[in-house]
mmCIF file of all heavy atoms in Angstrom:
data_model
loop_
_atom_site.group_PDB
_atom_site.id
_atom_site.type_symbol
_atom_site.label_atom_id
_atom_site.label_comp_id
_atom_site.label_asym_id
_atom_site.label_seq_id
_atom_site.Cartn_x
_atom_site.Cartn_y
_atom_site.Cartn_z
ATOM 1 N N GLN A 79 -23.490 -9.528 95.244
ATOM 2 C CA GLN A 79 -22.817 -10.639 94.602
ATOM 3 C C GLN A 79 -23.400 -11.897 95.284
ATOM 4 O O GLN A 79 -23.487 -11.924 96.547
ATOM 5 C CB GLN A 79 -21.298 -10.673 94.673
ATOM 6 C CG GLN A 79 -20.649 -11.754 93.981
ATOM 7 C CD GLN A 79 -19.142 -11.597 93.956
ATOM 8 O OE1 GLN A 79 -18.497 -10.840 94.849
ATOM 9 N NE2 GLN A 79 -18.484 -12.264 93.081
ATOM 10 N N LEU A 80 -23.718 -12.897 94.431
ATOM 11 C CA LEU A 80 -24.217 -14.160 94.945
ATOM 12 C C LEU A 80 -23.431 -15.326 94.278
ATOM 13 O O LEU A 80 -23.314 -15.246 93.040
ATOM 14 C CB LEU A 80 -25.684 -14.310 94.588
ATOM 15 C CG LEU A 80 -26.638 -13.328 95.091
ATOM 16 C CD1 LEU A 80 -28.084 -13.405 94.583
ATOM 17 C CD2 LEU A 80 -26.756 -13.244 96.625
ATOM 18 N N VAL A 81 -22.799 -16.161 95.070
ATOM 19 C CA VAL A 81 -22.043 -17.230 94.549
ATOM 20 C C VAL A 81 -22.494 -18.574 95.053
ATOM 21 O O VAL A 81 -22.339 -18.770 96.268
ATOM 22 C CB VAL A 81 -20.564 -16.914 94.894
ATOM 23 C CG1 VAL A 81 -19.673 -18.076 94.407
ATOM 24 C CG2 VAL A 81 -20.050 -15.662 94.462
ATOM 25 N N GLU A 82 -22.983 -19.417 94.229
ATOM 26 C CA GLU A 82 -23.480 -20.615 94.517
ATOM 27 C C GLU A 82 -22.296 -21.664 94.468
ATOM 28 O O GLU A 82 -21.407 -21.544 93.703
ATOM 29 C CB GLU A 82 -24.591 -21.153 93.558
ATOM 30 C CG GLU A 82 -25.882 -20.311 93.613
ATOM 31 C CD GLU A 82 -25.787 -19.234 92.423
ATOM 32 O OE1 GLU A 82 -24.734 -18.975 91.977
ATOM 33 O OE2 GLU A 82 -26.895 -18.761 92.007
ATOM 34 N N SER A 83 -22.471 -22.784 95.318
ATOM 35 C CA SER A 83 -21.541 -23.884 95.204
ATOM 36 C C SER A 83 -22.153 -25.132 95.820
ATOM 37 O O SER A 83 -23.344 -25.010 96.392
ATOM 38 C CB SER A 83 -20.209 -23.450 96.071
ATOM 39 O OG SER A 83 -20.569 -23.201 97.461
ATOM 40 N N GLY A 84 -21.534 -26.233 95.584
ATOM 41 C CA GLY A 84 -22.019 -27.525 96.244
ATOM 42 C C GLY A 84 -22.676 -28.406 95.245
ATOM 43 O O GLY A 84 -22.992 -29.469 95.679
ATOM 44 N N GLY A 85 -22.866 -28.030 94.064
ATOM 45 C CA GLY A 85 -23.533 -28.955 93.090
ATOM 46 C C GLY A 85 -22.530 -30.064 92.685
ATOM 47 O O GLY A 85 -21.378 -30.105 93.038
ATOM 48 N N GLY A 86 -23.098 -31.027 91.923
ATOM 49 C CA GLY A 86 -22.242 -32.119 91.426
ATOM 50 C C GLY A 86 -23.095 -33.157 90.839
ATOM 51 O O GLY A 86 -24.276 -33.064 90.708
ATOM 52 N N LEU A 87 -22.407 -34.392 90.649
ATOM 53 C CA LEU A 87 -23.056 -35.511 90.105
ATOM 54 C C LEU A 87 -23.386 -36.485 91.190
ATOM 55 O O LEU A 87 -22.447 -36.667 92.079
ATOM 56 C CB LEU A 87 -22.152 -36.273 89.094
ATOM 57 C CG LEU A 87 -22.656 -37.591 88.553
ATOM 58 C CD1 LEU A 87 -23.869 -37.410 87.828
ATOM 59 C CD2 LEU A 87 -21.499 -38.215 87.710
ATOM 60 N N VAL A 88 -24.546 -36.854 91.373
ATOM 61 C CA VAL A 88 -25.029 -37.791 92.442
ATOM 62 C C VAL A 88 -25.914 -38.861 92.059
ATOM 63 O O VAL A 88 -26.759 -38.660 91.033
ATOM 64 C CB VAL A 88 -25.621 -36.862 93.605
ATOM 65 C CG1 VAL A 88 -26.896 -36.221 93.184
ATOM 66 C CG2 VAL A 88 -25.847 -37.649 94.942
ATOM 67 N N GLN A 89 -25.890 -39.936 92.681
ATOM 68 C CA GLN A 89 -26.893 -41.023 92.265
ATOM 69 C C GLN A 89 -28.253 -40.728 92.834
ATOM 70 O O GLN A 89 -28.381 -40.131 93.866
ATOM 71 C CB GLN A 89 -26.275 -42.391 92.859
ATOM 72 C CG GLN A 89 -25.004 -42.857 92.138
ATOM 73 C CD GLN A 89 -24.583 -44.185 92.657
ATOM 74 O OE1 GLN A 89 -25.052 -44.723 93.686
ATOM 75 N NE2 GLN A 89 -23.644 -44.798 91.831
ATOM 76 N N PRO A 90 -29.237 -41.355 92.265
ATOM 77 C CA PRO A 90 -30.626 -41.170 92.749
ATOM 78 C C PRO A 90 -30.546 -41.759 94.217
ATOM 79 O O PRO A 90 -29.964 -42.721 94.534
ATOM 80 C CB PRO A 90 -31.379 -42.184 91.868
ATOM 81 C CG PRO A 90 -30.647 -42.127 90.614
ATOM 82 C CD PRO A 90 -29.199 -42.068 90.971
ATOM 83 N N GLY A 91 -31.373 -40.892 95.051
ATOM 84 C CA GLY A 91 -31.433 -41.242 96.443
ATOM 85 C C GLY A 91 -30.351 -40.552 97.244
ATOM 86 O O GLY A 91 -30.416 -40.566 98.498
ATOM 87 N N GLY A 92 -29.506 -39.930 96.606
ATOM 88 C CA GLY A 92 -28.326 -39.266 97.315
ATOM 89 C C GLY A 92 -28.745 -37.880 97.810
ATOM 90 O O GLY A 92 -29.905 -37.443 97.683
ATOM 91 N N SER A 93 -27.735 -37.175 98.467
ATOM 92 C CA SER A 93 -28.018 -35.886 99.008
ATOM 93 C C SER A 93 -26.875 -34.908 98.609
ATOM 94 O O SER A 93 -25.811 -35.277 98.241
ATOM 95 C CB SER A 93 -28.038 -35.964 100.526
ATOM 96 O OG SER A 93 -29.068 -36.788 100.991
ATOM 97 N N LEU A 94 -27.232 -33.655 98.561
ATOM 98 C CA LEU A 94 -26.333 -32.569 98.363
ATOM 99 C C LEU A 94 -26.630 -31.384 99.282
ATOM 100 O O LEU A 94 -27.910 -31.209 99.553
ATOM 101 C CB LEU A 94 -26.375 -32.070 96.859
ATOM 102 C CG LEU A 94 -25.628 -32.920 95.795
ATOM 103 C CD1 LEU A 94 -25.868 -32.353 94.444
ATOM 104 C CD2 LEU A 94 -24.119 -33.018 96.081
ATOM 105 N N ARG A 95 -25.701 -30.604 99.577
ATOM 106 C CA ARG A 95 -25.954 -29.344 100.264
ATOM 107 C C ARG A 95 -25.374 -28.190 99.466
ATOM 108 O O ARG A 95 -24.230 -28.091 99.259
ATOM 109 C CB ARG A 95 -25.333 -29.281 101.627
ATOM 110 C CG ARG A 95 -25.786 -28.108 102.439
ATOM 111 C CD ARG A 95 -24.865 -27.949 103.648
ATOM 112 N NE ARG A 95 -25.374 -27.104 104.718
ATOM 113 C CZ ARG A 95 -24.597 -26.552 105.602
ATOM 114 N NH1 ARG A 95 -23.246 -26.698 105.634
ATOM 115 N NH2 ARG A 95 -25.201 -25.717 106.447
ATOM 116 N N LEU A 96 -26.310 -27.395 98.901
ATOM 117 C CA LEU A 96 -25.925 -26.192 98.081
ATOM 118 C C LEU A 96 -25.771 -25.024 99.036
ATOM 119 O O LEU A 96 -26.454 -24.854 100.009
ATOM 120 C CB LEU A 96 -26.953 -25.900 97.054
ATOM 121 C CG LEU A 96 -27.450 -27.082 96.156
ATOM 122 C CD1 LEU A 96 -28.304 -26.616 95.078
ATOM 123 C CD2 LEU A 96 -26.205 -27.770 95.503
ATOM 124 N N SER A 97 -24.810 -24.159 98.678
ATOM 125 C CA SER A 97 -24.528 -22.925 99.400
ATOM 126 C C SER A 97 -24.593 -21.786 98.418
ATOM 127 O O SER A 97 -24.298 -21.853 97.308
ATOM 128 C CB SER A 97 -23.075 -22.977 100.032
ATOM 129 O OG SER A 97 -23.123 -24.034 101.013
ATOM 130 N N CYS A 98 -25.019 -20.634 99.016
ATOM 131 C CA CYS A 98 -25.040 -19.413 98.245
ATOM 132 C C CYS A 98 -24.453 -18.289 99.197
ATOM 133 O O CYS A 98 -25.127 -17.962 100.168
ATOM 134 C CB CYS A 98 -26.469 -18.970 97.816
ATOM 135 S SG CYS A 98 -26.606 -17.426 97.071
ATOM 136 N N ALA A 99 -23.249 -17.841 98.979
ATOM 137 C CA ALA A 99 -22.620 -16.816 99.682
ATOM 138 C C ALA A 99 -23.036 -15.519 99.166
ATOM 139 O O ALA A 99 -22.782 -15.191 97.867
ATOM 140 C CB ALA A 99 -21.084 -17.039 99.710
ATOM 141 N N ALA A 100 -23.518 -14.602 100.022
ATOM 142 C CA ALA A 100 -24.024 -13.336 99.573
ATOM 143 C C ALA A 100 -23.092 -12.158 100.038
ATOM 144 O O ALA A 100 -22.562 -12.291 101.210
ATOM 145 C CB ALA A 100 -25.417 -13.186 100.048
ATOM 146 N N SER A 101 -23.102 -11.139 99.275
ATOM 147 C CA SER A 101 -22.324 -9.961 99.700
ATOM 148 C C SER A 101 -22.978 -8.693 99.014
ATOM 149 O O SER A 101 -23.555 -8.854 98.045
ATOM 150 C CB SER A 101 -20.835 -10.086 99.499
ATOM 151 O OG SER A 101 -20.607 -10.175 98.112
ATOM 152 N N GLY A 102 -22.508 -7.618 99.604
ATOM 153 C CA GLY A 102 -22.992 -6.331 98.883
ATOM 154 C C GLY A 102 -24.290 -5.711 99.555
ATOM 155 O O GLY A 102 -24.774 -4.685 98.885
ATOM 156 N N PHE A 103 -24.901 -6.417 100.402
ATOM 157 C CA PHE A 103 -26.192 -5.899 101.040
ATOM 158 C C PHE A 103 -26.289 -6.462 102.377
ATOM 159 O O PHE A 103 -25.538 -7.390 102.792
ATOM 160 C CB PHE A 103 -27.366 -6.297 100.143
ATOM 161 C CG PHE A 103 -27.543 -7.752 100.077
ATOM 162 C CD1 PHE A 103 -28.559 -8.429 100.862
ATOM 163 C CD2 PHE A 103 -26.848 -8.519 99.134
ATOM 164 C CE1 PHE A 103 -28.751 -9.792 100.747
ATOM 165 C CE2 PHE A 103 -27.137 -9.863 99.046
ATOM 166 C CZ PHE A 103 -28.074 -10.520 99.811
ATOM 167 N N THR A 104 -27.181 -5.918 103.200
ATOM 168 C CA THR A 104 -27.353 -6.393 104.511
ATOM 169 C C THR A 104 -28.229 -7.653 104.515
ATOM 170 O O THR A 104 -29.426 -7.611 104.579
ATOM 171 C CB THR A 104 -28.087 -5.266 105.487
ATOM 172 O OG1 THR A 104 -27.331 -4.077 105.345
ATOM 173 C CG2 THR A 104 -28.120 -5.726 106.952
ATOM 174 N N PHE A 105 -27.527 -8.708 104.565
ATOM 175 C CA PHE A 105 -28.045 -10.073 104.349
ATOM 176 C C PHE A 105 -29.216 -10.397 105.273
ATOM 177 O O PHE A 105 -30.266 -10.817 104.858
ATOM 178 C CB PHE A 105 -27.025 -11.155 104.417
ATOM 179 C CG PHE A 105 -27.429 -12.543 104.240
ATOM 180 C CD1 PHE A 105 -27.687 -12.988 102.904
ATOM 181 C CD2 PHE A 105 -27.692 -13.305 105.327
ATOM 182 C CE1 PHE A 105 -28.058 -14.347 102.727
ATOM 183 C CE2 PHE A 105 -28.087 -14.678 105.094
ATOM 184 C CZ PHE A 105 -28.291 -15.188 103.811
ATOM 185 N N SER A 106 -29.051 -10.021 106.547
ATOM 186 C CA SER A 106 -29.977 -10.527 107.596
ATOM 187 C C SER A 106 -31.386 -9.841 107.392
ATOM 188 O O SER A 106 -32.398 -10.329 107.955
ATOM 189 C CB SER A 106 -29.465 -10.228 108.956
ATOM 190 O OG SER A 106 -29.198 -8.791 108.995
ATOM 191 N N ARG A 107 -31.500 -8.769 106.646
ATOM 192 C CA ARG A 107 -32.661 -8.022 106.518
ATOM 193 C C ARG A 107 -33.602 -8.502 105.395
ATOM 194 O O ARG A 107 -34.698 -7.971 105.196
ATOM 195 C CB ARG A 107 -32.332 -6.446 106.234
ATOM 196 C CG ARG A 107 -31.694 -5.779 107.387
ATOM 197 C CD ARG A 107 -31.550 -4.306 107.098
ATOM 198 N NE ARG A 107 -30.900 -3.683 108.240
ATOM 199 C CZ ARG A 107 -30.571 -2.348 108.246
ATOM 200 N NH1 ARG A 107 -30.859 -1.630 107.168
ATOM 201 N NH2 ARG A 107 -30.016 -1.886 109.270
ATOM 202 N N TYR A 108 -33.089 -9.414 104.543
ATOM 203 C CA TYR A 108 -33.792 -9.737 103.348
ATOM 204 C C TYR A 108 -34.091 -11.286 103.261
ATOM 205 O O TYR A 108 -33.250 -12.177 103.684
ATOM 206 C CB TYR A 108 -33.064 -9.341 102.069
ATOM 207 C CG TYR A 108 -32.900 -7.867 101.976
ATOM 208 C CD1 TYR A 108 -31.865 -7.179 102.573
ATOM 209 C CD2 TYR A 108 -33.858 -7.102 101.287
ATOM 210 C CE1 TYR A 108 -31.780 -5.836 102.416
ATOM 211 C CE2 TYR A 108 -33.840 -5.763 101.170
ATOM 212 C CZ TYR A 108 -32.686 -5.121 101.760
ATOM 213 O OH TYR A 108 -32.659 -3.733 101.660
ATOM 214 N N GLY A 109 -35.215 -11.605 102.654
ATOM 215 C CA GLY A 109 -35.445 -13.040 102.238
ATOM 216 C C GLY A 109 -34.527 -13.365 101.187
ATOM 217 O O GLY A 109 -34.028 -12.516 100.285
ATOM 218 N N MET A 110 -34.358 -14.715 100.898
ATOM 219 C CA MET A 110 -33.518 -15.268 99.881
ATOM 220 C C MET A 110 -34.360 -16.533 99.228
ATOM 221 O O MET A 110 -35.147 -17.131 99.992
ATOM 222 C CB MET A 110 -32.193 -15.719 100.448
ATOM 223 C CG MET A 110 -31.388 -14.654 100.934
ATOM 224 S SD MET A 110 -30.707 -13.565 99.661
ATOM 225 C CE MET A 110 -29.657 -14.642 98.812
ATOM 226 N N SER A 111 -34.004 -16.775 98.079
ATOM 227 C CA SER A 111 -34.743 -17.762 97.435
ATOM 228 C C SER A 111 -33.694 -18.686 96.514
ATOM 229 O O SER A 111 -32.746 -18.230 96.119
ATOM 230 C CB SER A 111 -35.902 -17.320 96.618
ATOM 231 O OG SER A 111 -35.552 -16.357 95.761
ATOM 232 N N TRP A 112 -34.220 -19.958 96.289
ATOM 233 C CA TRP A 112 -33.459 -20.869 95.440
ATOM 234 C C TRP A 112 -34.450 -21.167 94.291
ATOM 235 O O TRP A 112 -35.653 -21.580 94.536
ATOM 236 C CB TRP A 112 -33.102 -22.212 96.097
ATOM 237 C CG TRP A 112 -31.912 -22.118 97.027
ATOM 238 C CD1 TRP A 112 -31.892 -21.905 98.352
ATOM 239 C CD2 TRP A 112 -30.505 -22.143 96.593
ATOM 240 N NE1 TRP A 112 -30.614 -21.938 98.803
ATOM 241 C CE2 TRP A 112 -29.753 -22.045 97.769
ATOM 242 C CE3 TRP A 112 -29.984 -22.406 95.391
ATOM 243 C CZ2 TRP A 112 -28.343 -22.173 97.684
ATOM 244 C CZ3 TRP A 112 -28.570 -22.536 95.296
ATOM 245 C CH2 TRP A 112 -27.858 -22.333 96.480
ATOM 246 N N TYR A 113 -33.777 -21.100 93.063
ATOM 247 C CA TYR A 113 -34.639 -21.485 91.869
ATOM 248 C C TYR A 113 -33.777 -22.661 91.165
ATOM 249 O O TYR A 113 -32.561 -22.836 91.528
ATOM 250 C CB TYR A 113 -34.723 -20.342 90.878
ATOM 251 C CG TYR A 113 -35.749 -19.268 91.243
ATOM 252 C CD1 TYR A 113 -35.561 -18.485 92.324
ATOM 253 C CD2 TYR A 113 -36.857 -19.141 90.430
ATOM 254 C CE1 TYR A 113 -36.513 -17.503 92.647
ATOM 255 C CE2 TYR A 113 -37.907 -18.234 90.754
ATOM 256 C CZ TYR A 113 -37.694 -17.373 91.953
ATOM 257 O OH TYR A 113 -38.611 -16.388 92.216
ATOM 258 N N ARG A 114 -34.388 -23.274 90.246
ATOM 259 C CA ARG A 114 -33.752 -24.200 89.342
ATOM 260 C C ARG A 114 -34.225 -24.172 87.999
ATOM 261 O O ARG A 114 -35.374 -23.783 87.691
ATOM 262 C CB ARG A 114 -33.813 -25.620 89.905
ATOM 263 C CG ARG A 114 -35.169 -26.240 89.840
ATOM 264 C CD ARG A 114 -35.223 -27.662 90.466
ATOM 265 N NE ARG A 114 -36.521 -28.227 90.346
ATOM 266 C CZ ARG A 114 -36.872 -29.543 90.978
ATOM 267 N NH1 ARG A 114 -35.862 -30.089 91.770
ATOM 268 N NH2 ARG A 114 -38.065 -29.881 90.917
ATOM 269 N N GLN A 115 -33.337 -24.479 87.068
ATOM 270 C CA GLN A 115 -33.747 -24.545 85.576
ATOM 271 C C GLN A 115 -33.171 -25.769 84.999
ATOM 272 O O GLN A 115 -31.942 -25.978 84.894
ATOM 273 C CB GLN A 115 -33.343 -23.297 84.844
ATOM 274 C CG GLN A 115 -33.736 -23.257 83.438
ATOM 275 C CD GLN A 115 -33.586 -21.839 82.870
ATOM 276 O OE1 GLN A 115 -32.645 -21.061 83.344
ATOM 277 N NE2 GLN A 115 -34.304 -21.523 81.872
ATOM 278 N N ALA A 116 -34.099 -26.634 84.635
ATOM 279 C CA ALA A 116 -33.724 -27.816 83.890
ATOM 280 C C ALA A 116 -33.629 -27.618 82.438
ATOM 281 O O ALA A 116 -34.204 -26.692 81.912
ATOM 282 C CB ALA A 116 -34.775 -28.932 84.231
ATOM 283 N N PRO A 117 -32.866 -28.424 81.684
ATOM 284 C CA PRO A 117 -32.746 -28.246 80.264
ATOM 285 C C PRO A 117 -34.105 -28.185 79.460
ATOM 286 O O PRO A 117 -34.903 -28.992 79.768
ATOM 287 C CB PRO A 117 -31.967 -29.477 79.724
ATOM 288 C CG PRO A 117 -31.237 -29.808 80.946
ATOM 289 C CD PRO A 117 -32.108 -29.526 82.192
ATOM 290 N N GLY A 118 -34.327 -27.039 78.763
ATOM 291 C CA GLY A 118 -35.623 -26.947 77.936
ATOM 292 C C GLY A 118 -36.713 -26.510 78.815
ATOM 293 O O GLY A 118 -37.869 -26.470 78.317
#
């Protein structure tokens, strides 16, 4: 299970910190990645 959080509406130049809480596997043994998908 992977659960992302931390998104929102922000002005240009601003900052955000996204989190992804993982469970169901030995987290420390594996790489992880972030992807994004914009409309279209």
Side-chain angles (χ1 to χ4, degrees):
Q79 186 174 18
L80 302 171
V81 180
E82 301 95 337
S83 61
L87 173 63
V88 63
Q89 293 185 343
S93 297
L94 284 173
R95 188 194 196 201
L96 308 184
S97 300
C98 172
S101 61
F103 63 100
T104 306
F105 180 79
S106 61
R107 294 183 180 178
Y108 294 92
M110 297 290 295
S111 51
W112 283 97
Y113 285 69
R114 68 183 179 186
Q115 187 165 21

